[in-house]
Amino acid sequence: MPEEAVTTLRAELDRFERAEEGFALLEVFLEVARPRLGAVVLDPVGLRLPDEMTDDRALVQELIAGIEGEPRASGRVVERGFDMEDAQARWDYVRLAYSSNQATVWSARHRTTYFEVVGQHRATYWLPDSLKAEYFQALTARGWGVPDDWLAAVAKRPKPWWKRGGQ
């Protein structure tokens, strides 16, 4: 069975009128995608509030301070997971993802990335057609507008596995 086409959607906070709009879009995504999600993780080292964040600054700074006070596991990979079944963990992740150097939402089945923040400034969704349709419908049902460039984005079929190498 061929893989679904995937749409790439830019989601940096500075592209929204208010950072909280970006947070709300990620919150809705995590609710909609929950049955399809694998690991939802971020790098807890060097967390800092994004300049664009206006609401909840004090609450998120408390979260950051709490995480910075946690003991660090010895090892090279630093990663903190979040349980998406827990509403508070989802709220925490949404705000901390944009405060992190690396935050990733993985799919359960194919170990592909659905959402990623890199360096606190670059954020991207990669959504298969079926999940994108469900997500956009949920946004509309909750009264959120889907960004125009997201609506205009064209889905692309993934390359067959034998062409994904170094080409």
Side-chain angles (χ1 to χ4, degrees):
M1 176 161 78
E3 292 183 58
E4 279 186 88
V6 173
T7 304
T8 301
L9 307 171
R10 305 302 313 170
E12 290 79 13
L13 290 180
D14 63 2
R15 70 177 312 280
F16 301 109
E17 225 173 276
R18 295 185 64 229
E20 287 70 18
E21 182 181 350
F23 299 148
L25 296 175
L26 180 54
E27 271 185 273
V28 173
F29 172 74
L30 292 172
E31 288 173 22
V32 169
R34 196 167 7 157
R36 301 178 188 206
L37 296 181
V40 176
V41 297
L42 59 77
D43 177 353
V45 176
L47 294 169
R48 66 179 168 77
L49 292 174
D51 294 336
E52 298 87 356
M53 182 184 283
T54 55
D55 298 344
D56 302 325
R57 285 186 79 80
L59 288 172
V60 177
Q61 190 57 55
E62 284 179 31
L63 279 173
I64 291 171
I67 289 172
E68 288 173 344
E70 293 174 355
R72 298 264 183 251
S74 61
R76 293 182 3 196
V77 176
V78 178
E79 205 172 69
R80 187 175 197 281
F82 290 78
D83 177 7
M84 291 297 101
E85 296 302 316
D86 180 314
Q88 183 63 52
R90 280 194 312 275
W91 190 95
D92 293 353
Y93 182 80
V94 166
R95 273 89 188 153
L96 292 172
Y98 282 99
S99 300
S100 178
N101 285 315
Q102 178 78 36
T104 310
V105 175
W106 295 96
S107 70
R109 289 190 186 150
H110 302 294
R111 196 71 177 150
T112 56
T113 307
Y114 282 151
F115 175 79
E116 183 176 56
V117 174
V118 177
Q120 298 165 325
H121 297 291
R122 198 175 77 209
T124 310
Y125 289 93
W126 292 277
L127 303 181
D129 281 344
S130 61
L131 181 55
K132 181 177 82 171
E134 197 177 328
Y135 176 43
F136 285 7
Q137 183 178 35
L139 288 173
T140 304
R142 286 172 174 84
W144 286 98
V146 178
D148 290 338
D149 62 322
W150 287 15
L151 291 170
V154 177
K156 297 180 182 175
R157 290 235 175 254
K159 289 182 181 179
W161 65 268
W162 63 87
K163 291 186 178 180
R164 290 184 192 163
Q167 296 179 359

